[in-house]
Amino acid sequence: MAVTVFQQQLRDRFLAATVTAPPSPWQPVGPGMIPVGGLLGIGFATDPATGGDLVLVVSGSGHGLFDATTGERLAREYDPDEEPDGPDLACPGIGPVADVRVPVAGLHGGGLHTGTDDGWHVEVVVPEWPNERVLLCTGRGPYEGAHGETWWQVFHSSWSTFRAAGFSPSGRTMAVATSSDLTLWTRPGPPGR
């Protein structure tokens, strides 16, 4: 199957882009990547006390719950009763969300929100398989605008296996998960939230 001129131009555009910080109002959470060996998937929950975003991480050595605005680990379960299952790949929460089932996206399927109510969206591209690149976009992103104007390559998974990328349901947190780490960005709540 032949590659079209447009497809080749897109591939070249993605390969030429460097990893850059997302624009304001997005800010990195903590010092950057949170190491999580054997990461299988992630899901979002809402802190019942604050209304803030929480991230549930499922790994080969158990489950961990992180505050999405600080990166602080809030709870850890080394031997969970249940792994993600069912049509939404949900599993029981831990710590402050122990009474909630959390849908998980990652190695075994599922998905995170790929867009926000106020126009941000995430695209995962693979111009050089098997290394995924995660783009944060506005408008039509890389299809009409320039890198650093309507899209930003915020992550290049060249050292670990990509698992998932997307937003929390609130739209205040963006996450990228690989087999070895979790990277988070946060922002103030979108208008109307």
Side-chain angles (χ1 to χ4, degrees):
M1 174 184 234
V3 175
T4 68
V5 172
F6 177 72
Q7 290 170 326
Q8 185 61 49
Q9 289 171 342
L10 276 179
R11 181 178 185 275
D12 293 344
R13 181 183 290 194
F14 297 146
L15 290 173
T18 58
V19 173
T20 184
S24 180
W26 293 101
Q27 298 295 320
V29 171
M33 288 182 229
I34 300 168
V36 181
L39 190 151
L40 301 172
I42 64 170
F44 285 102
T46 302
D47 187 324
T50 67
D53 290 335
L54 302 175
V55 182
L56 180 70
V57 176
V58 175
S59 75
S61 61
H63 298 176
L65 186 70
F66 294 85
D67 181 311
T69 58
T70 66
E72 175 188 3
R73 186 170 64 195
L74 304 174
R76 180 80 166 94
E77 177 64 50
Y78 289 97
D79 190 21
D81 293 333
E82 186 181 336
E83 294 299 324
D85 69 354
D88 60 355
L89 293 175
C91 64
I94 60 175
V97 292
D99 60 341
V100 175
R101 289 191 62 79
V102 179
V104 174
L107 178 64
H108 301 294
L112 301 175
H113 291 264
T114 58
T116 67
D117 290 344
D118 59 339
W120 294 98
H121 61 276
V122 166
E123 295 201 27
V124 178
V125 298
V126 191
E128 264 184 333
W129 188 86
N131 300 321
E132 286 87 349
R133 296 164 192 245
V134 179
L135 313 179
L136 174 63
C137 309
T138 61
R140 294 212 5 101
Y143 306 103
E144 289 183 353
H147 183 254
E149 292 178 12
T150 62
W151 64 283
W152 298 261
Q153 181 179 288
V154 297
F155 196 90
H156 181 190
S157 180
S158 59
W159 61 89
S160 291
T161 306
F162 176 81
R163 295 291 191 240
F167 298 103
S168 62
S170 72
R172 294 187 308 252
T173 303
M174 180 175 61
V176 177
T178 72
S179 59
S180 65
D181 47 68
L182 172 66
T183 304
L184 301 169
W185 296 267
T186 189
R187 66 177 177 144
R193 292 268 169 133

